[in-house]
Amino acid sequence: MRLRMKGTPYKMRWRAKELSLALIILVCTTIFILTWDRSPTLTLTLPSKNQLQLSPDIKTVPVDPKTHVKEDISTLTRGEAVNNKEGQHVDKTRSTNTAKSSSDFEEVTIQKKETAAKQKDSPKREETNVIESGSDSKLIAETNNVILRGNTSEQEEKSVDHQACDYRKGKWVIDDRRPLYSGHGCKQWLAPMWACRMMQRQDFAFEKLRWQPKDCEMEEFEGSKFLKRMKDKTLAFVGDSLGRQQFQSLMCMITAGKNSRDVLDVGKDYGLVIPPGGKRPNGWAYRFPSTNTTVLYYWSSTLCDLEPLNVLDPQTEYAMHLDRPPAFLRDFLDRIDVLVLNSGHHWNRGKLKANKWIMYVGGKPNTNRRIADMGSAKNFTIHSTLKWLNSQLPKHPHLKAFYRSISPRHFVNGDWNSGGSCNNTIPMSIGKEVLQEESTDQSAASAVRGTRIALLDITALSQVRDEGHISRFSITASPGVQDCLHWCLPGVPDTWNEILFALI
């Protein structure tokens, strides 16, 4: 009886505790459920497949790991971040890379969000040399400087389609609609020393070839379309005599080789006049009044600044400032909308000695033996000038800049002054198709990597056209000397301009 009296209160106290605990659990559960639907922050505590995806506005493009370029001056890195719609294909002709150095002219594919997210954690990512940003804000800031911004219009999408074509790969085909102008008729713009129809050459099969890119069609060139596209704009070629050939070719293409009385000579507007004691100006500039389109050429064979050491001495030597861009670019860049630079064949001791050019770096004669080497001096200068140009592009958002790869020479059994020749006159006898993935001009490819400057890559497609040179038919060369550097016009440089037209 005494035991039963003691047990009853104990059981009652235990049941009271159980009821209190159950009540507490019920209240907490109720509060949790009510709060769950009202608090968005609690949703972050659970995993979601969407949490690992990249923002739809930021996608990482992997660089082709097969592209390897040997650097002559320094080891360069590269990185790409693009802001675009999913599934579009954009090449680097108009890209803005956020790395510190130069970019190959290559087609890249924008990956979908899921693919980019996987690549972020993939070990292979380290091999692509993609530069990682230190913060999301930095990545977004870099992304704002890229190829396309925001929504693309229908016209811009068509332009992207053209950009997606890799014009350096393809083949030469016979086209009876060629040439685009007459070598007899384009006397207003074409220098007689390059008009092979005016020479003793008898075979002109080389004029009938057209470049056909692989897996895409190249826009057909029409003078009226070019002028409309370049309305109120200026296109400038700056470079050596091969740049001058491209300039004269374009003038003939625009006018179809016919005399145009309404075209204005505006060379004075750009300081392109015959200097005292000179034979010709440093370039030419012409304007088409119908569309206010200007096309000009400025001679700068090495793309660096040349400064007379004694302006009073006609025989003065010149400081060749390897680390300064040509003064013409500094003075007139704001008036140029499309710029095409080239350099290469003047980088030899004979040219420097004949022109009395002395290498300068930092405002004084160069003492760095590594830079003094001709190949290194060229690369140092091109990298320096393109780096400067790239730094100016944000100030000139309208400007599209191209660096044209080197035009190949076809001397056999010697050079121009040692009996070298290029006597072949049969088109496509050494090849007609180009399928390589990398540029033949590795120096040019490395110079533009990491910049917004596009590589106009014409080297490989020109390499198989050994029959297109002026050769032994030159009217200006000495007996026994052949020109296996410059091209007959109409000819191969017309194709360079067709590709340029498609890219702008």
Side-chain angles (χ1 to χ4, degrees):
M1 186 69 178
R2 190 176 296 174
L3 290 174
R4 196 163 47 243
M5 292 290 291
K6 291 182 179 179
T8 300
Y10 175 81
K11 290 182 179 181
M12 291 179 65
R13 287 196 300 271
W14 175 252
R15 288 179 181 176
K17 290 182 179 179
E18 288 182 335
L19 289 174
S20 299
L21 181 61
L23 181 61
I24 292 172
I25 294 175
L26 179 61
V27 171
C28 291
T29 303
T30 302
I31 294 174
F32 182 82
I33 292 174
L34 291 175
T35 310
W36 175 265
D37 292 330
R38 297 182 182 180
S39 178
T41 57
L42 290 176
T43 60
L44 298 177
T45 60
L46 292 183
S48 170
K49 63 180 181 180
N50 295 327
Q51 299 301 316
L52 296 179
Q53 293 179 349
L54 293 178
S55 165
D57 294 328
I58 303 177
K59 304 178 179 65
T60 302
V61 179
V63 181
D64 185 358
K66 294 184 290 185
T67 302
H68 299 287
V69 180
K70 180 179 179 181
E71 305 299 344
D72 295 306
I73 301 299
S74 62
T75 302
L76 306 177
T77 56
R78 55 182 171 163
E80 296 83 13
V82 294
N83 179 14
N84 200 2
K85 295 181 179 180
E86 284 186 23
Q88 287 182 329
H89 300 273
V90 185
D91 71 17
K92 293 185 192 170
T93 36
R94 298 170 60 192
S95 71
T96 302
N97 293 323
T98 57
K100 296 182 179 180
S101 203
S102 13
S103 121
D104 195 357
F105 179 38
E106 62 193 16
E107 181 179 310
V108 294
T109 304
I110 297 178
Q111 306 293 325
K112 292 185 177 181
K113 294 182 293 185
E114 292 82 2
T115 304
K118 291 178 181 179
Q119 289 171 339
K120 183 175 182 180
D121 297 323
S122 172
K124 292 183 179 180
R125 185 175 180 83
E126 297 180 0
E127 300 175 4
T128 64
N129 294 327
V130 176
I131 294 179
E132 299 292 347
S133 297
S135 64
D136 291 342
S137 60
K138 181 178 180 180
L139 178 57
I140 294 173
E142 292 172 342
T143 306
N144 289 334
N145 294 324
V146 293
I147 305 171
L148 297 175
R149 304 178 183 217
N151 296 326
T152 53
S153 65
E154 180 180 351
Q155 182 177 359
E156 288 173 330
E157 287 176 353
K158 291 181 179 179
S159 177
V160 169
D161 290 339
H162 290 306
Q163 298 297 319
C165 184
D166 189 350
Y167 295 104
R168 65 184 175 184
K169 294 198 294 185
K171 61 183 178 181
W172 290 99
V173 297
I174 298 175
D175 189 339
D176 289 334
R177 298 174 298 173
R178 301 292 163 128
L180 299 176
Y181 56 91
S182 168
H184 279 299
C186 194
K187 297 178 181 179
Q188 186 175 3
W189 317 113
L190 183 55
M193 63 181 178
W194 293 331
C196 289
R197 285 276 182 176
M198 308 297 291
M199 303 177 191
Q200 297 179 355
R201 185 163 183 162
Q202 300 297 317
D203 52 284
F204 299 98
F206 68 91
E207 292 184 349
K208 294 292 184 181
L209 296 187
R210 172 176 59 84
W211 179 248
Q212 174 60 57
K214 187 178 184 297
D215 300 329
C216 58
E217 293 294 329
M218 185 157 64
E219 184 177 7
E220 187 172 347
F221 184 93
E222 294 180 10
S224 58
K225 288 170 61 177
F226 173 84
L227 292 176
K228 183 178 180 180
R229 188 169 298 175
M230 291 295 296
K231 180 178 174 59
D232 298 322
K233 295 180 180 180
T234 296
L235 187 153
F237 295 99
V238 177
D240 57 23
S241 57
L242 276 304
R244 183 185 172 197
Q245 280 209 301
Q246 190 173 0
F247 160 73
Q248 292 190 7
S249 162
L250 182 59
M251 292 299 296
C252 288
M253 291 168 67
I254 296 172
T255 61
K258 300 177 182 179
N259 287 339
S260 303
R261 296 181 180 179
D262 61 333
V263 179
L264 304 176
D265 184 344
V266 293
K268 290 183 180 180
D269 295 350
Y270 297 89
L272 303 177
V273 295
I274 300 178
K279 297 181 180 179
R280 62 186 183 188
N282 285 332
W284 296 265
Y286 298 101
R287 182 167 297 144
F288 295 83
S290 61
T291 56
N292 191 34
T293 301
T294 302
V295 180
L296 67 84
Y297 162 76
Y298 177 77
W299 183 85
S300 178
S301 61
T302 55
L303 295 183
C304 65
D305 198 21
L306 295 174
E307 182 183 33
L309 296 179
N310 185 355
V311 294
L312 300 179
D313 181 7
Q315 303 300 319
T316 184
E317 295 178 321
Y318 288 80
M320 184 183 183
H321 295 284
L322 305 185
D323 51 352
R324 294 185 195 171
F328 179 85
L329 288 180
R330 301 197 305 268
D331 294 340
F332 296 102
L333 191 64
D334 61 329
R335 298 173 58 179
I336 298 173
D337 299 279
V338 178
L339 176 63
V340 183
L341 304 175
N342 89 281
S343 182
H345 295 294
H346 278 253
W347 288 94
N348 61 75
R349 294 294 177 190
K351 291 286 186 181
L352 266 64
K353 184 177 181 180
N355 290 316
K356 299 180 180 179
W357 293 343
I358 301 175
M359 293 184 186
Y360 269 58
V361 175
K364 56 185 179 182
N366 174 54
T367 56
N368 188 324
R369 292 184 178 181
R370 186 180 181 188
I371 295 178
D373 172 77
M374 291 305 296
S376 296
K378 172 198 166 188
N379 287 326
F380 177 83
T381 301
I382 301 306
H383 277 260
S384 176
T385 295
L386 295 191
K387 181 179 179 181
W388 170 84
L389 177 59
N390 189 61
S391 72
Q392 300 301 304
L393 292 181
K395 305 175 186 177
H396 308 285
H398 64 283
L399 177 61
K400 295 180 181 178
F402 298 85
Y403 181 69
R404 179 174 61 71
S405 63
I406 198 165
S407 174
R409 298 152 41 99
H410 287 94
F411 289 98
V412 177
N413 298 323
D415 212 321
W416 67 273
N417 57 352
S418 58
S421 63
C422 48
N423 292 319
N424 178 40
T425 57
I426 303 174
M428 298 184 289
S429 61
I430 64 173
K432 67 177 182 179
E433 192 168 18
V434 176
L435 298 176
Q436 63 193 48
E437 295 294 334
E438 299 180 4
S439 174
T440 303
D441 188 352
Q442 298 273 303
S443 176
S446 71
V448 300
R449 182 172 298 111
T451 73
R452 293 176 59 190
I453 302 166
L455 181 63
L456 182 58
D457 196 350
I458 55 84
T459 305
L461 64 88
S462 304
Q463 185 67 49
V464 295
R465 293 297 309 279
D466 66 321
E467 90 296 348
H469 291 291
I470 295 171
S471 185
R472 62 185 180 277
F473 304 106
S474 174
I475 61 176
T476 59
S478 304
V481 176
Q482 295 196 14
D483 188 347
C484 305
L485 172 63
H486 297 101
W487 303 90
C488 289
L489 292 178
V492 173
D494 302 336
T495 295
W496 305 349
N497 284 323
E498 287 181 279
I499 296 175
L500 177 64
F501 172 66
L503 294 174
I504 63 176

